[in-house]
Amino acid sequence: MEKLIQFIEDVSSTNIVYSKPEGALRDVSGMVRNVPLIIYPKDKSEIQLIIQLANKYLVRIYPVSCGKNWGFGSSLPIENNTVVINLKDFNNIENIDVINGYATIAPGVTQEQLAKALADTPYFIDVTGSSADSSIIGNALERGIAYNSLRVENISELEVMLPSGDTINTGFSGLTNKSASNYPWGIGPSLDGLFFQSSFGIVTAAKIKLIKRTMNAKSFFVALKDEKDLFLFVESLKPLLEDNLINCIPHIFNSERLYPGFAPLLWKYFKNINVEKSRDEIDLLLNKQFHGKWFATGNLRGTSEQINLGVKYLKKITPKNSKLQFIGKREKYLCQILKKFPFFHELKAFIYVTDELGDLTCGTPTNLTLPGINWVVPGNESSLFDLDIDKSGTGGFLYFTPMCNYTLTDIEVMLNTTIKVAQDFHLVPAITLNAIKPNIMEGVISVSFNKHNFVEVQNAHQCIREMNRAMISLGFLPYRNNIDMMDVLTYKKDYEQILFKLKQIFDPNSILSNGRYIPTDKSLEISVKSVKVAA
Ligand SMILES: Cc1cc2nc3c(=O)[nH]c(=O)nc-3n(C[C@H](O)[C@H](O)[C@H](O)COP(=O)(O)OP(=O)(O)OC[C@H]3O[C@@H](n4cnc5c(N)ncnc54)[C@H](O)[C@@H]3O)c2cc1C
């Protein structure tokens, strides 16, 4: 404790910006950590100084890029009494290569910042459904998933500051020879993978691959009548992905995911025209508009011939009783005309929602996916549009993200297990299935609760823990997890030993992100010591 006080004194004697939280910090999932200090370095030299002081006083630090890892722990560290290094102010865009489609950015660069910087270029940044203010590098390091691609596949040439204070570069930028190409993998053994979901270094810059804008784009929306239609659609979508007729990541979700996304914006539309709508009335509107239990969205991008082909096949695979809609230039134009009419308020309300949410699939990030978090707990109307969802309102949620093969059997087992476990805890899960590859389906499952109600928080956390247990026993492992559930997966002994050796090499004083995806329990600490002796 004394050392921590000295560390804080030394940091406060510099010009580095910091804040001292009053009391423990609590996130949107009701997780709580004692964080003595949050530091906001704005460049590499400030990070280096913090690392030096952390080594000197053996203080534990936890870097985040923008700290918006909601549903997984937000900006909270794994361990108590850890200092958070929030890199949101270290946010320079070093370079945009508009010829080859790459941007080199610092960790604090947000989705919105890069999207704006690319506005008049032939490229866009593939965005996630998280807020416009969330990061690109932090999300990629968590192996986050955007609407058209996996962030992990689009990041390269990492610049990493190690806990020793040294900096290394990966890929071709690790060579003394200067590279004139954007080839991302370098030559020889690749170290990139060591810095994802890891505690080996702080990423201070990276190259991000951008997506070329196409001549035409059209988004699609399918309302699937029931579960039978869901499986018919999922089955016939697979060959379209395999044959590249659809080149986005189709998102398929239940009404528990869709409704809270639309409801607060519908509510706001009516409020803007001085019509108070109750929650029940909003639900009625949604039921009237969306005839279905499951929904699918995505986009078609390419030449008009490519889009026409995509349209043709989507029409072919949409089950008879389900409904397929497209939004392209023509539909947007018609909506603009409809908006001018003084009546048709219900229709105009849905146009308003679609306009407000913008074109996520073509690189326009939004903050308006957030109000749904507080909508699910009644009584939060005044905080719906407050973006600090860790603090505002009472709405809370927790994610679970298992991966399964893209086969009907596996998807059915994953869905049934999700629903069964949630039912056991009296919860109704919001479910999204992301077809991230023609042979891999990602499940994004969340449960909602009142984050200020201890019993509800406990129940939801137990539910997600049980979901982890049940799915892991079936082989559907999560690709990322929340800070309280780092223990649900175990490494094989030999692999774990190698991880410990690497931790010793990179971070001999164990100052960085301890417990993040690598266990640190007592027995393992003993084996680390024996590794050191043997080395
Ligand atoms: C409505 C909603 C929709 C969402 N949609 C999506 C989605 O579509 N796809 C998705 O992936 N997520 C989604 N999320 C989850 C989450 O909000 C995002 O993943 C978000 O991008 C993570 O926050 P961040 O970018 O600020 O990363 P951070 O919180 O800054 O970073 C995440 C973690 O990475 C590590 N890290 C960060 N920066 C560094 C660094 N510089 N060096 C070393 N380690 C570092 C830390 O361990 C940190 O905890 C959604 C959340 C909500 C509420």
Side-chain angles (χ1 to χ4, degrees):
M1 205 58 186
E2 217 173 86
K3 285 183 171 169
L4 182 62
I5 294 168
Q6 285 173 325
F7 172 86
I8 295 174
E9 271 173 17
D10 278 15
V11 170
S12 53
S13 70
T14 68
N15 288 328
I16 305 175
V17 177
Y18 66 91
S19 69
K20 275 191 205 167
E22 280 174 23
L25 293 184
R26 182 180 282 272
D27 80 343
V28 68
S29 309
M31 292 188 268
V32 184
R33 290 293 186 276
N34 182 23
V35 173
L37 195 71
I38 306 173
I39 315 182
Y40 302 93
K42 61 178 183 318
D43 57 31
K44 274 191 281 182
S45 65
E46 292 192 347
I47 300 176
Q48 200 162 29
L49 185 55
I50 295 162
I51 284 179
Q52 267 169 21
L53 293 174
N55 276 305
K56 181 173 170 191
Y57 296 114
L58 297 180
V59 164
R60 297 184 161 185
I61 55 175
Y62 187 82
V64 297
S65 288
C66 292
K68 306 211 182 292
N69 206 12
W70 295 306
F72 299 102
S74 303
S75 64
L76 299 182
I78 308 291
E79 295 182 332
N80 274 313
N81 298 321
T82 300
V83 171
V84 170
I85 314 296
N86 189 319
L87 301 168
K88 73 177 178 56
D89 296 333
F90 182 13
N91 61 355
N92 51 312
I93 298 175
E94 278 171 37
N95 175 44
I96 295 179
D97 175 350
V98 288
I99 309 290
N100 301 297
Y102 279 87
T104 304
I105 59 169
V109 171
T110 64
Q111 302 204 95
E112 174 145 70
Q113 198 186 337
L114 188 55
K116 279 195 172 148
L118 292 167
D120 297 319
T121 74
Y123 290 92
F124 71 88
I125 172 72
D126 192 15
V127 300
T128 69
S130 188
S131 82
D133 305 328
S134 63
S135 80
I136 292 161
I137 287 190
N139 179 265
L141 294 178
E142 266 286 80
R143 302 198 177 95
I145 291 166
Y147 278 93
N148 300 287
S149 57
L150 306 183
R151 281 262 166 88
V152 69
E153 292 181 345
N154 293 339
I155 184 169
S156 62
E157 302 210 10
L158 309 181
E159 178 189 78
V160 190
M161 194 174 290
L162 303 175
S164 60
D166 295 330
T167 294
I168 62 163
N169 298 86
T170 67
F172 273 159
S173 49
L175 302 178
T176 54
N177 319 71
K178 194 166 164 39
S179 162
S181 86
N182 284 306
Y183 180 76
W185 298 286
I187 189 165
S190 165
L191 295 191
D192 297 66
L194 290 178
F195 300 104
F196 293 92
Q197 298 184 342
S198 109
S199 59
F200 297 157
I202 301 180
V203 175
T204 50
K207 219 171 195 179
I208 307 292
K209 194 171 146 207
L210 308 169
I211 296 189
K212 188 83 190 264
R213 293 181 205 277
T214 49
M215 277 199 279
N216 291 294
K218 218 183 232 303
S219 45
F220 60 86
F221 181 88
V222 192
L224 297 155
K225 198 179 76 115
D226 51 25
E227 210 164 85
K228 190 171 150 253
D229 276 11
L230 164 73
F231 284 104
L232 281 174
F233 183 78
V234 166
E235 186 176 28
S236 33
L237 179 68
K238 187 178 163 97
L240 303 197
L241 296 168
E242 283 166 336
D243 294 341
N244 231 359
L245 285 160
I246 292 180
N247 50 13
C248 66
I249 295 180
H251 284 40
I252 302 159
F253 40 88
N254 62 359
S255 45
E256 282 72 21
R257 178 77 69 215
L258 176 74
Y259 282 22
F262 269 62
L265 295 169
L266 288 174
W267 178 83
K268 190 176 173 198
Y269 172 84
F270 286 104
K271 200 171 158 50
N272 288 348
I273 56 165
N274 296 320
V275 177
E276 287 293 332
K277 288 267 182 208
S278 69
R279 296 174 67 89
D280 287 346
E281 285 171 319
I282 297 286
D283 273 351
L284 272 177
L285 271 178
L286 286 161
N287 286 333
K288 214 164 111 186
Q289 177 71 16
F290 299 119
H291 306 274
K293 289 262 177 291
W294 285 87
F295 308 90
T297 57
N299 70 38
L300 301 167
R301 284 175 290 115
T303 60
S304 44
E305 287 82 4
Q306 284 170 313
I307 290 185
N308 289 342
L309 207 58
V311 168
K312 183 176 143 194
Y313 278 97
L314 277 169
K315 282 183 178 165
K316 211 166 154 183
I317 68 163
T318 301
K320 222 177 39 254
N321 295 317
S322 291
K323 198 173 157 197
L324 169 67
Q325 282 169 293
F326 291 99
I327 304 179
K329 273 188 203 141
R330 195 165 55 100
E331 292 78 8
K332 281 182 187 160
Y333 176 70
L334 283 175
C335 286
Q336 293 317 312
I337 295 177
L338 269 171
K339 269 164 65 175
K340 295 196 179 114
F341 286 95
F343 32 85
F344 296 140
H345 275 302
E346 288 188 5
L347 188 59
K348 278 165 59 179
F350 281 95
I351 295 174
Y352 169 80
V353 177
T354 322
D355 273 359
E356 288 289 287
L357 286 174
D359 205 349
L360 276 163
T361 59
C362 285
T364 314
T366 179
N367 283 319
L368 291 175
T369 50
L370 298 182
I373 306 296
N374 270 315
W375 176 265
V376 282
V377 181
N380 277 315
E381 283 70 17
S382 62
S383 16
L384 284 179
F385 294 90
D386 185 334
L387 301 181
D388 189 355
I389 56 169
D390 286 319
K391 292 201 182 111
S392 69
T394 57
F397 81 104
L398 196 58
Y399 275 132
F400 172 56
T401 49
M403 289 287 180
C404 79
N405 283 335
Y406 195 146
T407 67
L408 290 193
T409 325
D410 281 7
I411 295 167
E412 193 175 7
V413 173
M414 188 163 87
L415 285 183
N416 289 343
T417 311
T418 303
I419 290 161
K420 161 85 180 60
V421 173
Q423 260 169 5
D424 290 346
F425 290 84
H426 310 287
L427 293 167
V428 184
I431 305 173
T432 307
L433 298 169
N434 291 329
I436 60 167
K437 298 278 170 191
N439 55 358
I440 306 173
M441 191 65 96
E442 178 213 7
V444 182
I445 296 154
S446 59
V447 291
S448 296
F449 49 90
N450 180 333
K451 67 181 173 224
H452 292 160
N453 180 319
F454 180 73
V455 177
E456 285 193 31
V457 172
Q458 288 284 309
N459 181 57
H461 282 243
Q462 277 163 14
C463 171
I464 291 297
R465 185 166 276 281
E466 175 54 21
M467 231 176 246
N468 267 282
R469 194 205 58 73
M471 296 281 196
I472 290 169
S473 73
L474 292 165
F476 303 147
L477 311 187
Y479 83 97
R480 70 203 266 198
N481 223 329
N482 74 67
I483 54 168
D484 276 349
M485 282 165 210
M486 290 288 118
D487 58 331
V488 296
L489 292 171
T490 44
Y491 294 102
K492 285 184 179 160
K493 220 60 224 143
D494 289 353
Y495 193 81
E496 193 177 71
Q497 290 299 319
I498 293 292
L499 289 177
F500 276 114
K501 282 187 187 171
L502 289 169
K503 178 75 176 166
Q504 276 292 293
I505 291 168
F506 286 116
D507 185 16
N509 289 328
S510 281
I511 56 161
L512 193 75
S513 303
N514 290 325
R516 187 75 178 148
Y517 293 104
I518 304 179
T520 52
D521 78 5
K522 289 280 173 273
S523 61
L524 293 170
E525 274 172 12
I526 291 164
S527 58
V528 174
K529 278 187 197 133
S530 58
V531 167
K532 201 176 165 191
V533 173

